Each structure stands twice: as C-alpha cells, then as structure tokens.
Amino acid sequence: MQIILSQLQRELPTAGLTQAQALERLPMLGFPIDGVATVEGETVLDVDVTANRPDVMSHRGLARDLAATLGAELAALPTTTLGGAPQREIRLETPACPTYSTAVLTLGATQATPADVQTFLRALGMTPKGLAAVDASNELLHRYGHPTHAFDADKLQGAIRVRFAQAGETLVTLDGVDRKLTPEDLIIADDSGPIAFAGVMGGESTKVTETTRTVLLESAWFDPKVVRPMARRHNLHTDGSHRFGRGADPVMAAVVRDLLAQRLIEWAGATVLSAWTVGAVPARAAAITLPLTQLNRIAGETVDAAEAETLLARLGCEVSRSATTVTAVPPTWRHDLTLPEDLAEEVLRLRGYDRIGSSLPAVDADPEPLSPSYRTAASLSRRLAHLGFFQTVTYGFIGPDEDAAFAAAGNPAEGRALGNPLGLEYSVMRASLLPSLKATALHNRRQGQKEVRLFEIAPAYPAGLEGKPSVALVWGGLRGGEDHLTASRAVLAADLRGVAQSLGFGSAPIQDLGDGLLGVEVALDTLAAPPERIIPRFQGFSRFPAVERDLSLVVDLGKPFGDLAAAMGGVLPQPELQHLGVVDVYRGKGMAPGKQALLVRFRFQHASRTLTSEEVEGWVQSALKAAEGVGATLRA
Amino acid sequence: MEPQLELLPPEILEAQSAFAERLSACADLDALLRMKGAYVGREGSHAARLMELLKTAPKEQKRDLGAAINALKNAWEEALKTRQAELEATKKAIPAEDATLPPPRPPEGALHPLQRLMDRLVEAFRPLGYHVEEGPEVETEEHNFDGLNIPADHPARGSSDTFYFSARPDLLLRTHTSPVQVRVLKRYGTKNAAGVSLLEEKGGLRFLAPGRVYRKDEIDPTHSPMFHQVEGMLVAKGIGMQHLKGTLAYAMKALFGPGADVRFRPSYFPFVEPGCEMDVRCPLCGGSGCRVCKGSGWVEILGAGLIHPKVLEHAGIDPTVWSGFAFGMGVERTAMMVSQSPDLRLFFENDQRFLAQMGGLD
C-alpha cells in the first residue's frame, strides 16, 4: 500500500512525525516498509499491511495506529451535515448490505480537480480523470479508507436494489468486460437489471462521464464474506474489493458520503438535492474481557494494567477495568478483535514488542529421542557425502513420460496427478527419485562433469499418493584419471553395487539408466536405523591369527561366482570361515576359449585357538571339491 | 655403577664387544629391528639368555649378577633407541617419491546447502530439548488449513495458490510445514484409556519439523513451486511472548554466532495470536544498510507467535491450561541471504560445482 508521508503527517498534526520516525515506528507496529520512493515531489512509502487490518489501508487508518502508539492526536474529520427526503427508492434486500448512504446532486457547468488532489492521486500511481465524482471518490478511499461510487443518476431506471444476482444475469463492468453473474454475486440493480458489483466495481451503463449532469452517490457497507469470494470469482481485485472484502468501517459510510458531496460542491459547483441513508449501521461488536493474569501470561511478564487500559482506549475501544480484568468494546473499524488474546496482542503491540523481556522457558518435560527415520536419513546423507556423492534437492513432481519409465504397472500416473499443475513437466508426484536424478546427472554432464555422483533423500510415490521416504543414487561417467596412480575408467555397476551393499541396501537392483548412468533406489524404512545406543553393545572377537588361502579356479564364462560361493561356503566350517571372495578375474591370454580364472580368497579364524595348517588345508581341499562339483577346475 | 662384566659368560661378552660396531652397521630400520630382537628381544635374545642365567645362578651371586645384567640391558636398549631415532630421521629426510606429484585423493561429495541449514537449526534446538517430527507432503485440508484456523474462504486455499490432486480433490500438497503442528498436537492431545493425554503425561512438547512444501508459484529467480521450511513448536504451561523471544534469540545465536542480534515485529498469521516476525541484523552489512536489507539494516528471517487458542482446541488441548509458541522459517530465503546467491533456481539445479562450493561436509 502506497502512503504519502506528508499526508500521513497531515493526519497527525501535533505528533511532529519525521520520515526517520515513520520508517522506524511503522515496522515495529506491524507494518514493514517495502520501499521509499519520491513521486511527484512527494515521499511515498510502500507499506506492507497484513490482510487482517483493512482499517489501516488508508492514510488516516495508518495514522490512527501511529497515534495510538505515540499517544498523539488525530486531525479532526471535516464535518458536513447533509439531509433531505429520499429522491429515489433504495431497497436493501439482503443483510449483506445493512446500510446505504446516498445523495443526489446536480453538477455545475464546469468541474476541476484541485491541483493538490491531482498530485495526491499521481503520487499514489493513479491518473486523475478530471471528473470530480471519480477523482474525489478515489481520493477519499485512499485518505479515509472507505470506497464509494457515483452513478450517473439520469441513466438509472426506477428503484435501486441491493440484492444477489440471478443466474443468467450479466453485467458489463467499468473495465469493459461482460461478466456472467452467479447467485453468490452481490449486485446493485435498477429496473434495467444489474448496474454494479457491490463494493467491487461499477457498471458501464451507469458510469459518470463528462456529460453527466446529475449524480447519485453510493457510500455503503458490504459484508466481507460476500465481497471477497466475489472479487476472487471474477478476478476483480480493486481498491474497493480490497477494503470491503476485508471489512470496512460501517460508520464511515455516512461520513464519507458527506465528504464526497462536499467535494462535488467545491470542485464541480454541485447542488445537493438530497442526502439520506437507508438501513442502519450494524450493532457494535460484543465486549471482550481480558483477565490480567492472561495478559501477563501472554506477555510472559507483568504488564501494567493502567497502561493496558490506556492503550486500548487509544485504539478506539470503550474500555473498563476491574481489579482483575480489562474489558473492551472494539471500535467499529476493528473486525479482527474478537478474543481476549486479540486484546492482549494489541496491548503488547502498541506497548512495543521490544519492551517484552527475553528468557528461555523452563519446561519440565524429558527430551525425546530423534526418530529412527530421521537418524537414518541424517547418517545416510553424511555417509554418502563422505563417499563422494553430492546431495541434490529436486521437485517432487515430474512429467508423466519421465515418470512412466520408472513407475510400476499398478501405479498409474493418473492416481498421482495434480489437478492444477504449473505445467505438464511438473504434474505427477514421482514414483521414483531416479528420473529426477537422471535429469540432474545429464545436466551436470552437459556442464562438462566427467564423473557424476548424486543422491537424493526425499519421498517417492511407488504406490499412489502415500509418500515413501527413499534414497536414490546415480553414478556415471569416468572415474579416476586425476593422478599418476589411479587409472581412468568407466564407472561400472560393480562400483555402485559396492556402495549400495556397504550402505545396507541389500539386493536392490543396480539400474542402467542409459547414457552411462547407473542408479539404485531403496525406501528408507528398509534400512537398519543407526543404533540408538551411544556406542553398540560389545561383542567378543577372536584374538587368534587369521589364515588366508587363495585358490585359482577355472570356470565357464558366464558362470556366476555366486554359485561357486554357495557350493564352497556350504562345505566350510562356520564361524571359522570369515570371508570368501574373489580378488582377481582373469580372462586374458592362456585361457581356454569360453573360460575364465577366478582367484578365490578364503579367510579362516578360530574363536579360541590358533588354526593348524593341516586343518586349513583340509578345508581348502573340501572347498575345491565342492567347486569342482559345480563345474570348476583347479587352474594349473 | 660400572657393570661387573666378569660375572657374565664369554658369548655375552663377545656380543657386548661387537655391539657398538654392529649398531653403527645397521643401515635401515629393518636391520636395526633385527639387531634389537637379537639383543633385547623377549625370546632367544642375549638379554633373555641372561635372565635364564640369573634364575639358575647361586644365591650369593644373584644380587651382583642381576645388577650387571640390568646395567648391560639398559645400555643396549638406550643405544638401540638412539640409533632408531637417527634412522627414522634419516628415512624422513630421503624423498621416497616426488611429494609435489598430485596424490590420489578420496572423492569429495557434499550435503545440499538447504540440508546443511536445516541440520544446523536442528543442532541449535537439540540442547533445548527439541526433537524432530516429520509429516507427509501430501496432506488433507484439515491438517493444512482447518486445524490452523485458516478460514474456509481464505485465498491461500484456492487452486491458484495450492496444488490439489485430480483423482483425490480432498488431498493437496502442503503449503507449509505447519500441518505437522496439527498432527503432533492431535497426537499429544488425545486422551488414553485412563483419560490422560500424552501432553499431560509428558508435561510439555518441543519439536522442529523441517520439510518440503509446495505453493503454486512460477519458477523465477526468487520463486519456486517447492521450497523448504523449518517449523518449530513448544507447548507447556504459562508460555508467553518472553519465552518465544528468548528461545529464538538463543537459536539465532547458535545459528549465526554469539553476536547475532534480533528484533521482533508484530505480524499476522491465522494460527498464532499474538503474531510476530523476527528480523536479524543484516549479516551482509552488519546493520548499516545495504541491498540485501533494503537499507533497513534488518532482514526478516521467520514468522512466529503464540499458538492460537483455536489451534489448541482443534487438537483437543485446553488453551486455558496449555500455551505455547510456534515459528516457521523459510530455508531457501535464509540460505540465499547467508550465501548471497543471486538466483533461487541454483538450489534446485544441483550443479556439482554449486553443490561442492555451497554444501561441503559437516
């Protein structure tokens, strides 16, 4: 919201408010300044006002809050007393418009908007129209916060009715758009049908122009619960809908009608034929009682009751105080005050949050442990980073085509699709993290990365919309080759399998993602959580020497080592067999076609004694026999 | 005392006379270790033989012989030690290879900067007794809006602000981490068979909820349809604004360092009353005013407030007995401010160069 500093100062004639004070005070009142500009020679503040405070969406409204905190006087409102008999029937057919102040005036031969008002409007980014009724209405809205409207009275037909629209009715609004109305739309109508959106925008058919001779003013109060959805429904966000849609001050309806008429008298030589009000201002809000104990609890410290009373009174509340409570009737412009907590906030806000002390609460509750899932993710991400992987963060939604390649048959994209996505490429909650990692890997490759090592920990959606926290790794490109001791070679599935196995991913398959990229993904709940003990329970280990033996076996190419290992492991003693692995695979010169040599390594260890070479030799021989049983031969 | 060498057998005397020469002949540590084994090793060495000799020596000789053996052994050990130090020094001085050649280096990965920042926050709050709660990205309107006192006609609920699912219009992508508040409060507010709630049983509740959230914003240098928040909440008895201020000031010092200065401004969120925003003294200019803080010297870092009584009531918790505060911090916003990154999209592009630079390892 744009606020002209000099006009703000005008509403606070005795406060001596400087620019520096305004910039300091307003944020501390809850109205941060987003920028300061000079427009038309005026200092204009861009003030951020939260949606709950329509009452400060004007120069006077903001000044009123400043006056309350500063203890300063507000400028008196100019008063004009108009009256007269109704000139036209006005029917309020719904409680959504309880009061409607109007006036009918004939305009003089010439009209001119005063230079200072033109500057006011321009400084706020508006263009003066030179039509007194329009410019005055705009000026009053920004000065006092109450939206008004002027109809060309000669274009009106019959009685004015404030009612909800009927299905099928249409209205051409001032912006030239022909709008279809719904029964939820609150409108102003005459015998011709709808002529304005109540509180949002006037209609084209009855608008004021250069040729207008007679005007009918509208200064009413419309229910925010009706105006706000209406503005949203028609995407019509106007200064009027902004204020009525959040809650205007009903008492200001008649006051601003008078001010508007007064301006037309002064700027356009107008003559008031009559001014009258239909309906009545809604009853004031109920009194709210704030126990002082509650005020003190909310502050966390003792707040002076007399000060609380004074501050609420300065806000315009009718306040009374007992020994234990403060009771306040909120002013007509504060629809946001309904609970004792609201009053407490106002007291603390005006008093200044900086005056509240600062202390840590004493909470007599035992600390709770971190959950296994959190600890799993935390330790896994650290582990992976130390293993050389880069953690990525990618969007949870992807395109249906990318998703399809990784989604199970029983998990159709339709079940995970957004109804209102930003675009097709962001429309499906991903079944797997791998497509996102693949895209990220390809980006990095295009950026010249020889080796890409990525992981992400995030929810995947492998079965409908139930998010499953998962971890995925993608590794690809060339590894090594950066020093004289490590040769460069392509990243192989075995590399990723080794990492996956060391992380406890079990038998999760290594997936070939194409483009030289390999991936693996598991759900976090399939991983063992890090132990909750600070350090694990002790388990004995053998202090006797381990014995290693190698056996070179020739097997058919394509014969899985797993078969050999199972056969040999089956005949070797447990737990003496500590390790059974392959330390070399030879497929080079000297091998018969279709054969390969595996250098198998065994490690044996006894829990309570040193092994003898005879027993180890016996085991190796039995392993050899078992291997021969599945087609291996001892390499000569 | 001079060792009484005459008590010792001839082969020992021979060994002793050759000792000095053999010691200097040890050209490397291996040779020295072998010699050490021969002279003072546990088994089979000259010293071991002497100890056996001592066992069988006549009683009247034992004292003198023992002294002689000890003296000799000590002298040998001392000399071996000195020589070992010499050899080790020599070994270091001889370059085994060109140390300026780039050595093989273990690969370096990194945590994502957003993860690091969230971890740091958790770290800051752990000493205050906070644990971590998690919640799903796909949420209900009840958890995301109703339970947080966000009215049915609030614009944030519209399909222009919030992502909804076509097959399940009752579900949405959470727009903030605050639905975790509703979930946890309900869990703590539910009474067990004995009529006691978890909150009553434990006497209080403190948690952080870091996580991913979604809003329907177009992707540009300062907007992203997905971002992260860290929610925090404390519920106990007699909690007021003073405690909120104290807790957040403490946490910011843990996060930004002991000099971190904060201020609290009134603000409005439907799920707190009173509500506030917290600014930190601009980390870039230190408060003198710059581009980052738009000249104000302060940067907004989070929104907070005392939990609205309706939020507690929704979860079945009596607001006349229990009170507390909640806060929510935008992770990207803070990460961008602290790192002075020019573009939010960098955090989701995941370029390894960016990650290596920003992430590091904790």
Side-chain angles (χ1 to χ4, degrees), chain B residues 39-61:
Chain B
Y39 275 82
V40 297
R42 197 177 283 251
E43 282 172 28
S45 68
H46 298 309
R49 212 150 34 243
L50 285 170
M51 294 314 286
E52 271 162 38
L53 190 70
L54 184 61
K55 274 188 213 155
T56 57
K59 218 175 189 174
E60 62 277 17
Q61 273 191 14

Side-chain angles (χ1 to χ4, degrees), chain A residues 243-269:
Chain A
R243 285 155 182 83
F244 279 129
R246 288 168 174 75
D249 178 3
V251 168
M252 284 300 276
V255 174
V256 173
R257 185 268 322 267
D258 291 351
L259 294 172
L260 179 55
Q262 187 60 39
R263 276 160 174 70
L264 294 187
I265 294 166
E266 288 166 14
W267 304 357

Side-chain angles (χ1 to χ4, degrees), chain A residues 24 27-35 50-52 224-225 228-229 232 246 296-301 336 338-339 341-346 348-349 353-371 373-374 377-378 381-382 384-397 414-422 426 429-430 440 443-444 447 449 451-459 461 465-467 482-486, chain B residues 97 101-105 107-112 114-115 118-119 122 126 128-134 137-138 152-155 158-160 162-168 171 173 187-188 202-206 210 212 214 216-219 223-226 228 234-236 238-247 249-250 263-268 273-277 294 306 308-310 319 322-325 347-353 355-356 360-362:
Chain A
E24 189 198 325
M28 298 311 283
L29 263 184
F31 312 112
I33 312 288
D34 287 344
T50 48
N52 63 325
K225 286 197 286 297
R228 197 154 156 178
R232 199 157 59 238
R246 288 168 174 75
N296 293 339
R297 192 272 295 163
I298 287 172
E301 61 195 28
D336 59 319
T338 57
L339 300 174
E341 285 83 355
D342 298 328
L343 291 188
E345 178 182 51
E346 289 304 292
L348 298 179
R349 185 175 70 89
Y353 279 11
D354 52 345
R355 273 180 60 193
I356 303 172
S358 178
S359 69
L360 286 172
V363 179
D364 190 12
D366 296 337
E368 297 193 36
L370 292 169
S371 68
S373 60
Y374 180 81
S381 56
R382 262 153 206 78
L384 280 164
H386 283 280
L387 284 170
F389 286 79
F390 291 91
Q391 185 180 23
T392 67
V393 172
T394 58
Y395 294 158
F397 35 53
E414 299 77 60
R416 293 172 280 122
L418 291 172
N420 56 337
L422 273 188
Y426 307 115
M429 297 311 286
R430 53 190 172 176
T440 305
H443 163 81
N444 276 289
Q447 295 298 310
Q449 290 289 347
E451 185 184 2
V452 185
R453 295 180 303 257
L454 303 171
F455 75 99
E456 179 161 22
I457 296 178
Y461 294 82
L465 284 176
E466 198 187 326
E482 298 291 326
D483 61 78
H484 65 295
L485 295 172
T486 318
Chain B
E97 57 166 17
L101 278 173
R105 290 175 64 116
E108 282 169 24
L111 294 175
H112 196 280
L114 299 174
Q115 182 72 53
M118 290 189 284
D119 289 352
V122 171
R126 280 297 281 163
L128 299 180
Y130 288 65
H131 67 280
V132 175
E133 291 280 354
E134 292 152 295
E137 296 177 309
V138 177
D153 64 349
H154 196 280
S159 62
S160 57
T162 301
F163 291 113
Y164 288 88
F165 288 94
S166 50
R168 289 287 305 274
L171 296 180
L173 283 175
R187 197 170 84 227
Y188 274 73
K202 289 186 183 274
L205 164 65
R206 290 156 290 186
R212 301 148 68 96
Y214 294 82
K216 203 176 168 190
D217 284 325
E218 294 290 339
I219 300 167
H223 293 88
S224 167
M226 185 194 85
H228 295 74
L234 177 145
V235 181
I239 298 301
M241 290 295 280
Q242 188 173 110
H243 305 123
L244 168 94
K245 286 183 71 175
T247 301
Y250 171 93
R263 74 169 187 184
F264 293 82
R265 289 180 287 101
S267 191
Y268 169 70
E273 185 77 40
C276 63
E277 281 177 327
K294 293 184 205 147
L306 297 190
H308 198 287
K310 286 182 181 163
W322 299 96
S323 54
F325 57 75
F347 289 88
F348 306 109
E349 183 186 53
N350 300 297
D351 193 300
Q352 279 186 196
R353 293 166 295 192
L355 297 173
L361 292 164
D362 285 311

Side-chain angles (χ1 to χ4, degrees), chain A residues 395-418:
Chain A
Y395 294 158
F397 35 53
I398 60 176
D401 290 347
E402 301 162 86
D403 178 70
F406 293 88
N411 186 26
E414 299 77 60
R416 293 172 280 122
L418 291 172

Side-chain angles (χ1 to χ4, degrees), chain A residues 125-149:
Chain A
M126 288 178 284
T127 309
K129 299 285 189 293
L131 299 171
V134 176
D135 289 347
S137 176
N138 283 333
E139 185 229 349
L140 288 167
L141 182 145
H142 289 280
R143 192 178 294 286
Y144 297 121
H146 199 84
T148 52
H149 184 65

